[in-house]
Structures are given as structure tokens and as C-alpha cells.
Amino acid sequence: MFTAIREQFETIFREDPAAKSSLEIVLCYPGFHAVLLHRAAHRLYKAHFPLLPRVISQLSRFLTGIEIHPGATIGRRFFIDHGMGVVIGETTEIGDDVLVYQGVTLGGTGNERGKRHPTIGNNVVIGTGAKVLGGIKIGNHVKIGAGSVVVHPVPDYSTVVGIPGRVVKMRNVPGGVLEHGDLPDPEGQEITDLKERVAELETQMKALIDAVTPRAGSRSE
């Protein structure tokens, strides 16, 4: 447990430039509180304690605005930045070094049984308000853009944006940050491509009409 706490401090200092001291983290970081309370609840859940893990989870939700089911499995150095509105379902599995922003949902798609929540790989960043739904697998070193809705598996070293989420960038090496200002807009690009195609067809149509329409001089002859 002490190792996990130390790693949480190190992770927050690395990921959040606003963190100035350990005391500030202890007093003012709901993501820090939610992860520690979840680790305690998860141990009790795995030990088959009745009800108490859910009570701890609900207490954490009340205090932090972050809802993590005690059945969720979370790896090392997991950090929830800001955190309000984060929901993590019962059968979610999260790898190591995962960063999640506020409003993220790792949830199911209905009333299915069994593995109904996503599996998140290592070194994944999930942007503000993103939804990852269903028993899908998100690979290692994946970046998910803010507001995306991901319902299909995502391969390693991908960047995903949009509704539904689409892979817009592939990398073959780890590293890099999620720069939302530099992410492509697949819907916007499709609209631009469609406009260009329409303009091209209009030009071709005009040329065809000009070719088959007799000129005024030709009619008079």
C-alpha cells in the first residue's frame, strides 16, 4: 500500500504541473482519494466481503464525484486528473500508467452479463468526456481524444477521435502527448472532401453542357 501511495504522488507530480506539494495532493486531489479508496474496496471485494466494498465505493463517489465499482481492476500509477463525473464499471480492467480526465466513462452497452466493460492497455490517455463502451480491448500506448465514443477495439499505438471513435493516427513507437489542438477531424475532412468532389463534378458537368450545346452562330447558319 505504501508503494502504491508513493507511486501516486510521483505520478501526479509528473502528469500535473499544478501540483506543488504532497500536502496539496493529499488535501485537494479527488483523483488521489478515489484511487486509494478504490484499492481498499477492491481488496475487500476480492476477499468476498458482502456490501462493505460497495459502501466504500459510494462514500468515495460522494466525496470525490468519481464512481469506481469495487470490482474494477486497476493497474499501477493510475491517475484521474480533476475527475468529476468519471465512471468505471465493474468488469473494467485498466493497465499500468493510464491517465484519465474528467467526465470519462468506461462502461457497458446494455444489460449484458459477464465481461461487459472495456479492457484498457498500458500507457493509455483518455481525454475529457470520452466514452469507452462494451467489453472491447484498447491497446497499449493509445490516445483517445476528448468527447470520443469508442465502441470497437483499438490497436496499439493509435490515436482515436470522433463519434463513433475512429483511428486517425498510428505510431510505431511509444511516447507523445495528447495534443487536442493538433488532432485531425475525420468528419470535417469528409465534408471538405465531399465539397471538393461536388465542385469537381460541377466543373465537369459545365464542360459537358458547353460541349453539346450548339453555339448561337452555328444555329444561324
Side-chain angles (χ1 to χ4, degrees), residues 177-195:
V177 296
L178 184 60
E179 296 288 355
H180 284 99
D182 294 333
L183 289 178
D185 178 5
E187 287 81 9
Q189 186 60 51
E190 285 189 0
I191 293 173
T192 299
D193 292 343
L194 184 59
K195 287 180 177 178

Side-chain angles (χ1 to χ4, degrees), residues 22-77:
S22 297
L23 181 60
E24 180 183 16
I25 292 172
V26 170
L27 296 177
C28 304
Y29 275 68
F32 175 78
H33 307 147
V35 171
L36 292 185
L37 286 169
H38 169 74
R39 297 203 186 281
H42 183 67
R43 287 190 176 187
L44 295 171
Y45 182 89
K46 297 295 286 185
H48 304 290
F49 275 79
L51 189 59
L52 182 57
R54 291 301 303 271
V55 172
I56 295 174
S57 174
Q58 287 300 107
L59 175 63
S60 176
R61 179 176 181 269
F62 175 78
L63 294 174
T64 67
I66 298 168
E67 182 174 343
I68 309 176
H69 192 284
T73 302
I74 296 177
R76 298 171 62 184
R77 297 176 295 277

Side-chain angles (χ1 to χ4, degrees), residues 107-203:
T109 57
N111 295 321
E112 65 270 24
R113 302 286 181 177
K115 182 71 169 81
R116 59 193 186 277
H117 301 106
T119 296
I120 311 296
N122 301 321
N123 298 101
V124 173
V125 179
I126 306 178
T128 302
K131 316 300 178 188
V132 185
L133 305 176
I136 60 175
K137 182 176 181 180
I138 307 299
N140 300 320
H141 303 282
V142 168
K143 318 293 184 186
I144 299 176
S148 301
V149 178
V150 184
V151 293
H152 300 293
V154 177
D156 296 348
Y157 300 104
S158 302
T159 298
V160 181
V161 299
I163 303 174
R166 303 181 186 180
V167 175
V168 295
K169 190 183 298 184
M170 295 286 294
R171 310 178 309 280
N172 57 10
V173 293
V177 296
L178 184 60
E179 296 288 355
H180 284 99
D182 294 333
L183 289 178
D185 178 5
E187 287 81 9
Q189 186 60 51
E190 285 189 0
I191 293 173
T192 299
D193 292 343
L194 184 59
K195 287 180 177 178
E196 292 176 355
R197 180 58 177 160
V198 169
E200 181 183 343
L201 290 173
E202 287 178 342
T203 301

